[in-house]
Amino acid sequence: TADAEGWLKQAEDVKIAFNHRFFKNGVYEHGNQANYGMALYYGLVDSENIPMVAKALADAVKASNYSIKTGEIGLRPTIMALAANGYNEVVYRMANKTTYPSYGYWVTQGATTSLEYWDMSLSQNHCMMDHIEEWFFAELGGINNIGEAYERIAIRPWIPNDMAMADISVQSPRGKVRMAWDRNHSATVYSICVPAGAIAEVQLPIIKGLKLYEDKDELSTIASVSDVEYTDTLVCFKLGSGIYEFTMS
């Protein structure tokens, strides 16, 4: 307990010193993507300033025409700080960009691995630049461990308006966790797999007035489903282990 108190006090002192040195007039250091992203991601921004700094990060990305302007060290903080603060649409635009510098640029140039530099120099197989992959699983799939070893799982996918389908799975210590969707003109189908011994807290987009069904059974009547709550745009519920296919027609 004494050690913990000492480290917490030192962490607070470092945070104060960091902001005194690097945060001036609403700007971290040079005001680039990594400056804002790392301060947000590592919890160094004072709580009252988080919305302002997150917007500044999003604005810095937009000012670069959604190009990625950071290297390996600042990449994960930039991507995940945007996601954590409601700017998944900005990350999605970054992920879809195909001009230099971007992941898409590598693809258009024929790369089949992630590289060390955006200009494709030096290492041609550099896994440390794969941070967009975390965003695929944690945000597009919405799959996150919120308990001990996936005993409790959050499944809260962020679904872009122009993405018709996706299929994301994670091999957890308890088994496969899967979140997939398929949208066409008549229905949206959500496919979910929750491993044995786990409970998922699920949040899915819904159209106001419509409900989810498994075959002919409405969501709230299914035995392994509990705590169902519909809002204008979402349906939230808890889901026991099993393989499910829910339809919104």
Side-chain angles (χ1 to χ4, degrees):
T1 301
D3 286 348
E5 290 175 354
W7 290 118
L8 287 169
K9 176 64 167 60
Q10 183 170 333
E12 187 59 31
D13 290 344
V14 168
K15 180 177 178 178
I16 291 169
F18 178 87
N19 283 292
H20 178 75
R21 167 63 179 83
F22 294 109
F23 189 56
K24 306 293 183 189
N25 301 317
V27 178
Y28 274 100
E29 190 68 341
H30 305 296
N32 62 36
Q33 293 177 16
N35 294 158
Y36 292 124
M38 294 180 78
L40 286 164
Y41 184 80
Y42 291 111
L44 292 165
V45 182
D46 291 330
S47 57
E48 66 271 18
N49 292 328
I50 289 175
M52 174 183 66
V53 174
K55 182 180 182 302
L57 171 57
D59 288 344
V61 174
K62 293 174 185 177
S64 73
N65 196 23
Y66 298 91
S67 295
I68 301 175
K69 295 287 191 177
T70 176
E72 172 196 330
I73 302 301
L75 189 54
R76 183 189 192 194
T78 296
I79 291 170
M80 299 312 294
L82 285 166
N85 288 282
Y87 291 99
N88 270 321
E89 184 65 38
V90 173
V91 182
Y92 185 58
R93 293 280 294 272
M94 296 168 79
N96 277 284
K97 193 172 178 65
T98 57
T99 55
Y100 172 84
S102 69
Y103 285 105
Y105 175 76
W106 286 347
V107 175
T108 62
Q109 300 304 304
T112 57
T113 56
S114 57
L115 314 181
E116 184 173 2
Y117 287 95
W118 300 113
D119 65 4
M120 306 184 71
S121 63
L122 297 182
S123 170
Q124 299 295 290
N125 191 353
H126 213 71
C127 66
M128 291 80 85
M129 293 291 273
D130 283 344
H131 296 301
I132 192 65
E133 204 169 35
E134 180 181 359
W135 184 80
F136 291 158
F137 288 99
E139 298 299 325
L140 285 182
I143 299 170
N144 287 278
N145 173 36
I146 55 173
E148 298 295 334
Y150 286 79
E151 182 180 24
R152 289 174 57 239
I153 306 163
I155 301 180
R156 301 166 186 156
W158 179 79
I159 303 179
N161 290 330
D162 61 351
M163 185 176 285
M165 63 175 294
D167 194 335
I168 301 102
S169 62
V170 172
Q171 191 64 34
S172 82
R174 297 174 184 273
K176 185 167 75 171
V177 184
R178 177 176 178 240
M179 173 69 235
W181 72 84
D182 194 340
R183 300 191 290 185
N184 57 47
H185 67 281
S186 61
T188 297
V189 178
Y190 296 117
S191 300
I192 300 175
C193 178
V194 181
I199 294 177
E201 298 180 9
V202 184
Q203 180 177 288
L204 300 174
I206 197 84
I207 295 173
K208 184 178 180 180
L210 298 184
K211 293 182 180 284
L212 285 188
Y213 289 83
E214 187 176 45
D215 293 328
K216 295 182 179 180
D217 298 323
E218 194 271 324
L219 187 65
S220 60
T221 67
I222 300 169
S224 54
V225 175
S226 63
D227 299 343
V228 177
E229 181 181 353
Y230 286 96
T231 71
D232 288 350
T233 58
L234 296 170
V235 56
C236 305
F237 56 97
K238 291 182 180 178
L239 189 60
S241 58
I243 298 172
Y244 304 89
E245 189 172 278
F246 300 117
T247 302
M248 177 181 66
S249 298

